[in-house]
Amino acid sequence: MMKWTLFTPELFYVAMAAVFFVGSLQRRVDSRRLYRWAVALAGVGLVVSVACTRLEGFLFFDSYKVDLFSQFFKVLIALGTFFVILVCSELHGIDPRKHAEFYFLLAVCTLAMMMLVSAVELLTIYIALELSSYSLYLMVPMRHRADRYVESGIKYFMVGATASAMMIFGLSYLFGMTHTTYVAEMVRVLPGLLHQPAAVVGLVLTLAGFFFKQALFPFHIWAPDVYQGAANQVTTYIATASKMAAAAMVIRFVGLTTGQSEALIQLLVVLSVLSMTFGNLVAIIQKDIKRLLAYSSIAHAGYMLIGILCMTQRGYASAVYYAMAYLIMNFACFMVVIKVADDGHNLQIKELAGLHKRSPLLAMTLMLALFGLAGIPPTLGFTGKFLVFAAALEKGYLLLVIIGMINATISLYYYLIVIKAAYLLEPVREYPPVRVDTWTRILSIVLVIAMIYVGIFPDRFVALSEAAVAVLP
């Protein structure tokens, strides 16, 4: 097998980006044609990513590793991108003159995140992370008539630049301590150096860059404003696909310690508790549904970290499953937001009043997704939390699990507020009807089936997650 075939998914997204780059140079481009091209290319990209799942090997002087772990996350990233593009049929939130640029940046960001999850050399990781970040920095201010939301784009860039500086500082510490930039060699050397403060500080600063992408406390301050300020489709992409790459890299870097640093474990426990508690408590008072989902994402980053900080195969596998579940549930919520606010405005919770009459299918999709995020059986969100908590109990983190369960109970309150609005509240004024096309109906049905099926029959997906983390060094 020729080596370049290992790079097939990435090469496809390079070609996809080139198509939309050429489109952006045209004086007049039909938005409908661009959308059809985007859906077709994203669909093929997903098929290519799935077809390449079993490939294994190294590229670029062993700085790029293709294995089941990286390929599994590439499938999740491609799936997230495909989902987002599917709901871009009415791109009212983006300036019509910038639709081609929007799809171009989407393809570039997807390419960068795919490179990130395969990168096993420090500088390659940093460059891939920066490429994905700068694509997002450009997409956030692309909102049509975004004057009042420019601040969110600036805040995103400034906080991201700070996290990037902390990360490169941490990488320099790791290189100074281990005398290598290769992750495979670092795994052999770093555990023996963790008694030295410089090694732990270097690892924590490096993780800061990925915690920023995950919106983990205290690197979360950008999330509510960016979620609210970006166009609905851009927010959906940030909340779903970009979180997959961050989860993969946190797992890879925490795994470097092989559980040898008690100080790092204690720090991760504290960050997990603060993230869960802060996210859930502040979400209670939100009126804007995108801000509510932003604080929800902060809490879910804490839940996911519970599995990762166990530093066991079962813990990593539970985090991978949780990431997959979060992608599906969160996208389902944002799909409903996009369809109800089809003119691109920020949706208030009260605007969901009477949704069960305006669109019963979207109301049911939203209800199941929110129950999943709250961890109610038989959804895949319940199974994800169960696996994460079980892995933590196996390591003896009983108090952490209790705190996690209390937080899950708190989260149920504000998710029920949204469900109450959709099913029990009568609208105070006449809202326009929700237009649901055939593709949205099909997508809603697929998401509903996935949220139930993967929750009730998780064995195959758990086995796949375990096989993915088994290849980690």
Side-chain angles (χ1 to χ4, degrees):
M1 182 180 65
M2 296 182 66
K3 278 254 183 181
W4 62 266
T5 56
L6 298 172
F7 206 58
T8 303
E10 291 86 342
L11 288 174
F12 178 84
Y13 282 96
V14 169
M16 180 174 169
V19 169
F20 292 113
F21 177 72
V22 172
S24 70
L25 301 178
Q26 308 302 310
R27 185 163 295 180
R28 289 183 180 176
V29 184
D30 180 12
S31 293
R32 296 302 302 174
R33 182 183 296 176
L34 274 176
Y35 171 68
R36 287 193 289 269
W37 269 100
V39 170
L41 289 171
V44 174
L46 177 58
V47 171
V48 169
S49 301
V50 172
C52 296
T53 305
R54 295 294 175 179
L55 294 181
E56 292 183 358
F58 287 90
L59 289 168
F60 311 124
F61 304 101
D62 293 346
S63 66
Y64 200 82
K65 185 180 181 183
V66 175
D67 55 20
L68 185 58
F69 180 78
S70 65
Q71 300 304 89
F72 181 74
F73 274 99
K74 285 176 192 175
V75 170
L76 293 182
I77 292 166
L79 179 64
T81 304
F82 179 62
F83 278 165
V84 171
I85 288 178
L86 274 180
V87 294
C88 288
S89 56
E90 302 292 339
L91 258 181
H92 292 302
I94 303 289
D95 189 326
R97 297 169 299 173
K98 299 176 182 174
H99 284 189
E101 287 88 342
F102 167 73
Y103 291 123
F104 165 71
L105 290 170
L106 211 57
V108 170
C109 191
T110 302
L111 163 68
M113 291 190 296
M114 286 188 167
M115 294 177 67
L116 181 62
V117 297
S118 271
V120 288
E121 193 269 337
L122 298 186
L123 290 179
T124 311
I125 289 169
Y126 183 74
I127 292 168
L129 180 68
E130 289 302 284
L131 180 58
S132 69
S133 296
Y134 277 91
S135 301
L136 293 174
Y137 298 156
L138 289 171
M139 278 196 279
V140 169
M142 289 178 77
R143 187 168 190 173
H144 194 33
R145 300 188 183 92
D147 297 347
R148 57 183 292 206
Y149 298 119
V150 168
E151 179 194 343
S152 63
I154 296 172
K155 181 179 287 188
Y156 192 28
F157 174 74
M158 296 301 291
V159 176
T162 304
S164 177
M166 293 173 67
M167 182 180 176
I168 197 73
F169 191 49
L171 291 175
S172 68
Y173 266 87
L174 290 179
F175 172 68
M177 295 297 295
T178 61
H179 306 292
T180 181
T181 59
Y182 285 87
V183 171
E185 294 176 27
M186 215 171 273
V187 171
R188 292 195 291 270
V189 179
L190 193 60
L193 299 171
L194 288 172
H195 62 281
Q196 300 185 39
V200 177
V201 169
L203 192 56
V204 170
L205 289 175
T206 301
L207 285 170
F210 303 120
F211 288 159
F212 161 76
K213 297 284 279 186
Q214 276 192 310
L216 186 84
F217 186 94
F219 307 96
H220 67 281
I221 56 173
W222 60 272
D225 288 338
V226 169
Y227 274 46
Q228 185 180 27
N232 292 339
Q233 289 83 355
V234 175
T235 303
T236 305
Y237 187 75
I238 293 171
T240 54
S242 74
K243 297 293 177 74
M244 299 302 102
M249 297 315 294
V250 171
I251 291 170
R252 194 183 288 282
F253 270 84
V254 170
L256 288 177
T257 66
T258 63
Q260 300 297 312
S261 174
E262 193 63 35
L264 179 64
I265 294 172
Q266 290 173 358
L267 176 63
L268 294 179
V269 168
V270 170
L271 291 181
S272 174
V273 170
L274 290 175
S275 200
M276 289 186 294
T277 307
F278 175 83
N280 284 321
L281 290 179
V282 181
I284 291 173
I285 61 172
Q286 302 306 313
K287 305 299 182 187
D288 183 299
I289 194 162
K290 286 203 294 182
R291 287 187 73 89
L292 183 144
L293 290 171
Y295 285 108
S296 167
S297 74
I298 296 167
H300 283 279
Y303 295 129
M304 199 181 301
L305 192 59
I306 292 176
I308 296 171
L309 63 84
C310 295
M311 300 187 192
T312 60
Q313 291 288 316
R314 179 170 289 186
Y316 295 143
S318 69
V320 171
Y321 180 93
Y322 198 95
M324 178 188 66
Y326 182 73
L327 170 72
I328 295 170
M329 297 181 297
N330 220 30
F331 173 77
C333 292
F334 276 101
M335 182 195 70
V336 176
V337 171
I338 289 169
K339 291 303 173 183
V340 175
D342 60 352
D343 61 349
H345 75 278
N346 284 348
L347 190 70
Q348 302 297 306
I349 294 174
K350 64 183 178 183
E351 292 178 65
L352 290 169
L355 182 62
H356 71 289
K357 294 178 182 176
R358 291 186 282 161
S359 177
L361 181 58
L362 288 184
M364 183 177 70
T365 305
L366 179 64
M367 180 182 69
L368 273 175
L370 292 172
F371 277 153
L373 289 171
I376 302 296
T379 61
L380 74 172
F382 165 77
T383 309
K385 282 188 172 62
F386 175 81
L387 292 172
V388 165
F389 291 158
L393 282 174
E394 198 175 65
K395 287 288 288 183
Y397 301 135
L398 176 61
L399 182 59
L400 181 60
V401 171
I402 291 172
I403 294 172
M405 293 174 74
I406 292 170
N407 271 287
T409 307
I410 295 170
S411 72
L412 184 59
Y413 173 74
Y414 61 81
Y415 291 133
L416 283 174
I417 290 175
V418 180
I419 295 169
K420 175 189 171 186
Y423 276 92
L424 300 178
L425 290 187
E426 291 299 325
V428 293
R429 63 179 178 85
E430 191 69 27
Y431 290 113
V434 180
R435 290 176 295 172
V436 182
D437 56 25
T438 304
W439 283 111
T440 304
R441 285 195 186 92
I442 293 171
L443 187 55
S444 296
I445 292 167
V446 168
L447 289 168
V448 167
I449 292 171
M451 285 187 282
I452 297 297
Y453 179 82
V454 179
I456 296 175
F457 304 105
D459 294 357
R460 184 179 302 175
F461 301 95
V462 172
L464 184 59
S465 301
E466 289 174 346
V469 299
V471 301
L472 290 173

